[in-house]
Amino acid sequence: MGTFVPSGPTLCRVRGPVQRVRSVLRPDGYHGRGVRSGFFEGWYVKLVSADRSAPWAVIPGVFLGTDGDDHAFVQVLDGSTGRSWYLRYDVADFWASPDRFDVRVGPSRFTERGVDLDLPDGLLRGQVAFTDPLDPWPVTLGSPGIMGWYSWVPFMECYHGICSFGHGLAGSLEVDGAPVSFDGGRGYLEKDWGQAFPAGYVWVHSNHLAADPDACLTASVALIPWLRGSFRGFIVGLRTRDRLYRWATYTGARETHLEIDDAHVRWGLTGPDGRIELVAERTRGGLLHAPVRTSMHERVEETLDARVHVTLHDAGGRRVLDTTAGVAALEVVGDLDRLLAVGTR
């Protein structure tokens, strides 16, 4: 759900170099201060009950259009049924901190301590606490988050951040008036901001790997316009209980293959951290809105019940993982023929 492509000069203006550095080093905070149009930001909050029967994605955010269609929103996806909702709010009902994950949309609030939901018509109402500290992708000056040094490039169209590979949950939500417990469940948190999503991409995530309950997989490959051309860029992170394995355009990793058909996505990568093979089973999902330059367009089909087979060999050739990831989020979107046709960089 996240990658990066160049944009025009209106994106992510901040007031001076100090704020620019501060913004880059806090991917979980709000990046839209000083931006008046052509901007979106959204936080992807995944909540999965302990028995995995209730997987939900709740996405608070804001859209500042180029034609005056400014609004805040909360998107909701019920992973067990595929139902989805796009709830619009006045932009004045949106507030977010630039320094941390702290977002308010209408009466609902999302913070590093958990979520307090009060959505219209009794859709979702209640509190779910995060019982562990958030576990973000490491941020350093040279590599501030999942995008590496690309995070410092000021003309990207879409930026991406991993705010937490995984954390425990406690609490309950009323779903259409019926209580659903999330005690002992598992959460995940990532985000995107910029002007628009890529024209074609694949994104997959799961932190329910059978062989390692502490592990998390996040992976995306997308069309990246660059200068006068484009290339296929990718970012893959596999967080195990011991370490974070990375494959990305900026690490010198390369793809061994990428195949997409109606039933599966098959993807292999090799690099300094070893070799990874992913086979994702495609299933039907619900439609979510995604940002284009003029609107939030309903074009993204996402499932929360995909299965992904993951095989990992480390740099020495030792097999580290050979397992299945469940309750996986999967999006396969846009101009896939072009995505497969362009080369990597």
Side-chain angles (χ1 to χ4, degrees):
M1 182 164 156
T3 186
F4 39 87
V5 285
S7 74
T10 63
L11 177 59
C12 291
R13 292 188 298 267
V14 293
R15 298 169 185 169
V18 173
Q19 279 197 322
R20 168 66 182 165
V21 170
R22 180 180 174 185
S23 177
V24 170
L25 295 177
R26 292 310 308 252
D28 54 341
Y30 179 53
H31 296 78
R33 290 195 172 184
V35 182
R36 296 185 179 180
S37 65
F39 179 80
F40 81 95
E41 189 153 4
W43 291 257
Y44 181 94
V45 181
K46 188 179 180 185
L47 308 170
V48 181
S49 62
D51 63 2
R52 306 188 186 186
S53 66
W56 289 81
V58 184
I59 309 168
V62 67
F63 179 78
L64 306 178
T66 57
D67 58 358
D69 183 27
D70 298 353
H71 64 276
F73 61 84
V74 176
Q75 295 202 72
V76 179
L77 174 63
D78 178 353
S80 64
T81 66
R83 296 182 302 166
S84 62
W85 298 262
Y86 187 81
L87 309 171
R88 290 175 62 109
Y89 295 80
D90 191 282
V91 73
D93 292 328
F94 172 86
W95 178 90
S97 168
D99 300 316
R100 63 191 181 279
F101 175 51
D102 189 352
V103 182
R104 290 197 294 266
V105 181
S108 298
R109 189 171 184 185
F110 308 78
T111 77
E112 57 194 12
R113 297 180 300 278
V115 299
D116 186 344
L117 299 178
D118 186 1
L119 300 181
D121 302 321
L123 170 59
L124 289 178
R125 184 168 295 162
Q127 297 81 37
V128 176
F130 301 161
T131 59
D132 306 305
L134 299 186
D135 180 21
W137 190 290
V139 172
T140 65
L141 278 172
S143 185
I146 189 172
M147 288 179 57
W149 61 263
Y150 281 97
S151 299
W152 291 111
V153 178
F155 54 82
M156 312 306 285
E157 186 178 50
C158 187
Y159 297 80
H160 188 51
I162 303 297
C163 306
S164 183
F165 289 107
H167 44 268
L169 303 177
S172 65
L173 296 174
E174 287 188 7
V175 180
D176 294 329
V180 175
S181 174
F182 287 87
D183 289 345
R186 191 77 172 149
Y188 171 77
L189 176 60
E190 68 166 48
K191 63 174 302 191
D192 296 278
W193 68 98
Q195 283 190 329
F197 272 12
Y201 68 92
V202 176
W203 170 75
V204 63
H205 157 264
S206 174
N207 54 0
H208 288 80
L209 279 71
D212 185 349
D214 298 319
C216 175
L217 169 71
T218 180
S220 62
V221 57
L223 280 169
I224 313 283
W226 190 258
L227 301 177
R228 296 188 179 183
S230 61
F231 68 95
R232 192 166 71 225
F234 56 87
I235 308 172
V236 178
L238 180 59
R239 179 85 148 89
T240 69
R241 63 169 59 92
D242 301 316
R243 61 172 290 185
L244 172 59
Y245 296 85
R246 317 175 197 214
W247 296 264
T249 307
Y250 58 84
T251 69
R254 63 180 179 84
E255 296 174 304
T256 59
H257 61 275
L258 175 62
E259 302 166 4
I260 303 171
D261 59 36
D262 291 341
H264 295 91
V265 175
R266 296 179 174 87
W267 195 17
L269 305 101
T270 186
D273 280 354
R275 185 174 80 253
I276 190 168
E277 301 275 342
L278 305 175
V279 180
E281 301 175 11
R282 299 182 64 180
T283 58
R284 296 288 296 178
L287 284 178
L288 297 179
H289 288 64
V292 296
R293 294 180 185 275
T294 57
S295 67
M296 290 290 288
H297 178 58
E298 188 178 33
R299 66 176 185 133
V300 173
E301 183 179 27
E302 179 182 324
T303 180
L304 290 179
D305 62 355
R307 292 168 57 86
V308 186
H309 191 82
V310 182
T311 307
L312 169 66
H313 291 80
D314 66 17
R318 180 178 66 94
R319 188 167 67 182
V320 178
L321 277 178
D322 187 356
T323 190
T324 299
V327 202
L330 177 65
E331 296 176 1
V332 184
V333 177
D335 192 345
L336 301 179
D337 290 339
R338 186 172 160 223
L339 176 67
L340 294 172
V342 300
T344 58
R345 181 175 181 268

